[in-house]
Each structure stands twice: as C-alpha cells, then as structure tokens.
Amino acid sequence: MIELPSNIWYGDEPLIFEPPESWDVSIFRMAGDSAGEVGDEEIVKALREPIGQKALSKLAEEGREAVIVFDDMTRPTKLERISKAVIEELRKGGVSDENITFVCANGAHGTYDRDDFAKKLGEEVVESYPVFNHNPLANLDYLGETSAGTPVEINSEVMSYSLKIGLGCILPHPQFGYSGGAKIVLPGVAGMRSIAYNHGVIGGWSAATAVRELHPTCQMAYGRVNEENVMRKDAEEAARMAKFDFIVNTLVNTRRENTHIFAGDIVEAQRKGVEEARKHYATQVGFEFDVVISNAYSKASEAAIATWPTLCLKQGGTLVIVCNSKTGQISHYIHGRWGMRRKGGFLYLSPPDTLKRAGKVIFVSQYQERQPWLEVYEEVVKVKTLEEMVEEVGKDKKKVAVFPDSTIQMPF
C-alpha cells in the first residue's frame, strides 16, 4: 500500500493505492520526512534568541508598530502558532493590537480571500487583525534600483511601518536555489516591474519572442546555489533597501509540519536555515525506471515543479504527475497563460532536456481542467484516480519509482 499526501488546504486527506504485485516499486523519501514538529517553546526561543538580529520584543520596543508579511497559499507553511507567538512578542515590546497589520506576500500569484487567510493564519488572527492582499500593480513605493538594475517598488502599506516582519518557509526552489529570506520581499510584496526584471533580466528568462536559458547560477538550482544565486542576491539587496527587519522561516515535512525554525536577520537566518535544508530535503534517487510517479502536494498549484523526477526515467518511460488539488494551477501573472490564442504571459522558460525522456505523461487528479496545465508536454493523458492510472500504465512487470512530494524534495 502506498500513501500519497493530497488535497493541500482542503482536508489534507491522502491518496492510497495498492500497486500491482508485478511492479518493482521503490519509494524515495526525503531525509527529513520523519522529523517531528517544533513545539511552542522552540518557537518562542527562536524569536527571543534570533540569528544576527535583536530579540523581536526589543525591536518592537523601538518601533511600537509592525506589519507582518506572510507567504501565500502556494506554500505549505502553517502559520497559526507562529503568528500568535510573534504577536505575543510584539505585545511584550509594547506594540498594541491596533498597530499590527498582516499583508499576504502573494507577489504575482493573484489574490486570496478570507477563507485562505484563516487556513494560513487561523481564525483568531483573521478576526482580530486586518489582513490584506498585496497588489503588485499599484500602491507601491519606489526605492531606487539594485546594483543589477532592478527597479525596486515595494508595497506602500508595508513600507509605512517601522518594523517589518516576514513569515514563511525555506524550500528547494528551481530558480532561487532555496526560498525563504528575502524572497518574502521580492517577489513577495514587490511591484510587477520589479518581479519581471528580477525573474527576467537578472534570472535569464526572456519574452515569448526570444526564449533563452536561465542564468548559470539559476539553472535547475535545487539545493545547489543559494548565496551566489543572482536572483537571490538581487532580492536580498531589495530587502535591505526596504529595511526589512526580521524573518521567521521554517522547514517542513510531507505532512506540512514545521520541523525547524530559523528567525532573525532576513539574510543571515535564511543562510542558517539553508544549512539544515540541504540535509533535510535531500532525496537519494535512482535511475532508468520504466515509470516515475511524482506527487505534487506542497506546491500542488505549481505542479510543473513536480516534473524534475523525469531525470530518473529511462528514455521513453512514463511520467505520472499526481496533483489532487481543488484550487487547480495558480494564476501566475508573470509565467501564467491568459488564453488559448493569446497567451499573454510575461516570461517563458525553455524546458530542460531531462523532460524529453518521457514518452508518455499521465496527469492524475479528481479536479481536472481543460486549459493546458503543463506547456512543456504536448499531450497529457488525464485520469481521475490512481486505479485508472494503473490501468493506463499496465500491470505487467515494471520498475517504478515513487516520490511522495517531489515539489519539496531535492535530488542528490
């Protein structure tokens, strides 16, 4: 029996199926999958003994007001306990509830609603504090340019607060190397010009009329490049310009439990977190499989991230993407598609050569969509259940690899 985490933010009920006895199945789990959840004491300790920064309550004493910027629903982070602990430390430092505001770092991902905010932050926070979406098209303060030339436009509401705090997680990222840290600022609460420049000119993306390769430090950067990644360096410079004071980053397991916590300076705390993340998300892989079953869970709304295990396929093998998500794929204003005849996206990426290995691609989801969900494959077979997938693949002898949550796993 194989259990795959599923339905992120909508009950998190796993998918369970019994592979045919004729299949030779290998399950590849990340090293930190069995790590336990951090306790409340550990959260408070991280806020009071931060990395490269004063204790949060001390910063609160100096500012007497705070904006809390949190990652959006495309990230698996559960922030209820952490946000409450942050609020308590702010109160300890003399910040009143009337001077605390939350802003969602949705970047170019569109907007969210009350239900989303309650799932992310908890009902008590949503009932007690104002919570806003970020608008990347307006309500922006221009701060100048980074040394790379990125025009830095940051959410005006965020910039109006003397104490700026970010909440989110550190995950392997295909272009940034790792998320977390300054990414909560750029792209999180940055303007569209800033995001497009950082992702395009800096990262090496291009307009649809002139596709070119990513910058060498950003190519399939899972766990390989962090400090020297040009997109991250650019974002960190923007975060310094915005005078972002404090970050709280976690690592997660495939149950979305926060297993480690790193708080403090927006650059230094992320660096410390990445040291552990390199070990935590590492997944030893094999090669030359007939079938690869790649589950998209933590980042189910960006299921294209789950295609990296194609490198484990033999040439012409079958790639199975499992993506059981009620939300479907994110409406991404930078990389998204806005029509069949006129795509309307800003930037496109040429697919890596590893994707050419797949001779057949099967997409498994109870919640199918007619619009293209993965541009790099011309034809995708769509089924609604794992049982249908087995019938499509065939029950004859096969060498099969399973990745329980490839959207956060990192190959090594």
Side-chain angles (χ1 to χ4, degrees):
M1 183 181 72
I2 294 177
E3 184 174 297
L4 299 176
S6 175
N7 282 310
I8 186 170
W9 300 115
Y10 286 87
D12 295 273
E13 288 295 325
L15 296 177
I16 300 172
F17 84 110
E18 197 77 49
E21 292 184 3
S22 55
W23 287 8
D24 178 12
V25 178
S26 299
I27 301 177
F28 295 101
R29 302 185 186 279
M30 67 187 204
D33 193 46
S34 61
E37 190 171 16
V38 295
D40 291 339
E41 290 184 3
E42 192 171 351
I43 294 171
V44 171
K45 182 179 179 182
L47 301 179
R48 294 179 179 177
E49 301 175 15
I51 300 161
Q53 184 54 286
K54 298 177 184 177
L56 184 56
S57 61
K58 294 297 182 183
L59 291 175
E61 288 176 5
E62 298 169 6
R64 298 284 174 163
E65 61 179 12
V67 61
I68 302 172
V69 178
F70 61 98
D71 63 2
D72 69 15
M73 305 303 282
T74 68
R75 300 300 181 260
T77 338
K78 298 177 182 178
L79 292 175
E80 182 172 1
R81 290 166 58 224
I82 291 172
S83 61
K84 287 180 179 179
V86 166
I87 289 168
E88 285 305 311
E89 292 304 299
L90 292 177
R91 288 172 175 166
K92 182 181 175 184
V95 179
S96 65
D97 286 354
E98 290 72 25
N99 287 321
I100 298 174
T101 296
F102 284 78
V103 175
C104 181
N106 39 281
H109 290 165
T111 58
Y112 296 91
D113 58 26
R114 185 196 182 283
D115 186 48
D116 295 318
F117 296 150
K119 288 174 181 176
K120 174 69 74 164
L121 301 170
E123 283 285 346
E124 185 178 332
V125 169
V126 175
E127 289 176 6
S128 304
Y129 302 91
V131 184
F132 294 98
N133 283 288
H134 163 62
N135 182 356
L137 301 173
N139 199 37
L140 303 165
D141 283 0
Y142 176 69
L143 307 182
E145 293 186 355
T146 66
S147 56
T150 297
V152 180
E153 296 176 331
I154 303 298
N155 184 288
S156 293
E157 179 73 13
V158 172
M159 290 304 301
S160 73
Y161 287 80
S162 57
L163 177 54
K164 306 174 187 70
I165 304 163
L167 311 181
C169 63
I170 296 173
L171 299 174
H173 192 277
Q175 280 81 52
F176 263 78
Y178 289 92
S179 61
K183 208 168 179 292
I184 202 82
V185 181
L186 175 60
V189 288
M192 198 65 74
R193 280 204 313 152
S194 304
I195 300 169
Y197 201 99
N198 174 266
H199 284 47
V201 178
I202 304 303
W205 298 74
S206 61
T209 54
V211 174
R212 59 190 175 89
E213 293 297 321
L214 283 167
H215 188 277
T217 64
C218 303
Q219 290 187 24
M220 196 58 181
Y222 285 108
R224 291 169 175 79
V225 181
N226 184 63
E227 293 87 344
E228 296 306 313
N229 184 290
V230 294
M231 294 172 72
R232 169 158 294 284
K233 289 170 69 175
D234 192 54
E236 289 175 346
E237 189 173 344
R240 293 297 194 205
M241 292 169 68
K243 294 181 169 56
F244 230 82
D245 305 283
F246 203 87
I247 192 75
V248 183
N249 280 153
T250 67
L251 308 186
V252 300
N253 57 28
T254 55
R255 297 174 297 283
R256 295 200 298 123
E257 295 169 336
N258 294 311
T259 60
H260 302 74
I261 185 165
F262 304 90
D265 178 77
I266 196 164
V267 175
E268 292 184 40
Q270 194 266 352
R271 294 281 193 274
K272 193 68 175 177
V274 166
E275 291 179 15
E276 185 63 33
R278 285 195 168 103
K279 299 176 285 185
H280 181 77
Y281 297 114
T283 305
Q284 189 169 2
V285 302
F287 301 95
E288 294 297 310
F289 285 91
D290 300 302
V291 180
V292 167
I293 300 174
S294 180
N295 188 41
Y297 170 63
S298 290
K299 296 185 182 180
S301 61
E302 295 181 295
I305 295 172
T307 60
W308 72 258
T310 311
L311 63 87
C312 301
L313 271 180
K314 70 178 184 182
Q315 190 66 40
T318 299
L319 173 65
V320 178
I321 301 291
V322 182
C323 183
N324 216 44
S325 172
K326 284 187 176 182
T327 63
Q329 298 307 292
I330 193 68
S331 295
H332 202 302
Y333 285 90
I334 294 290
H335 305 311
R337 181 173 180 143
W338 299 92
M340 296 298 292
R341 297 179 180 178
R342 295 173 175 82
K343 296 180 181 180
F346 277 77
L347 305 166
Y348 296 89
L349 175 66
S350 55
D353 290 338
T354 53
L355 296 185
K356 298 176 183 177
R357 291 178 182 272
K360 185 176 186 178
V361 181
I362 302 173
F363 182 51
V364 184
S365 178
Q366 290 176 268
Y367 315 102
Q368 295 287 352
E369 299 176 87
R370 176 63 185 87
Q371 70 179 59
W373 72 277
L374 187 57
E375 299 284 350
V376 294
Y377 292 110
E378 293 183 3
E379 295 184 11
V380 177
V381 177
K382 297 180 179 180
V383 298
K384 291 191 174 183
T385 68
L386 289 167
E387 289 72 25
E388 290 178 78
M389 178 272 291
V390 171
E391 293 298 323
E392 186 69 34
V393 170
K395 296 181 179 180
D396 54 316
K397 186 176 181 180
K398 286 182 174 65
K399 185 181 177 185
V400 179
V402 178
F403 292 85
D405 186 2
S406 60
T407 61
I408 65 172
Q409 295 181 254
M410 180 185 71
F412 82 95

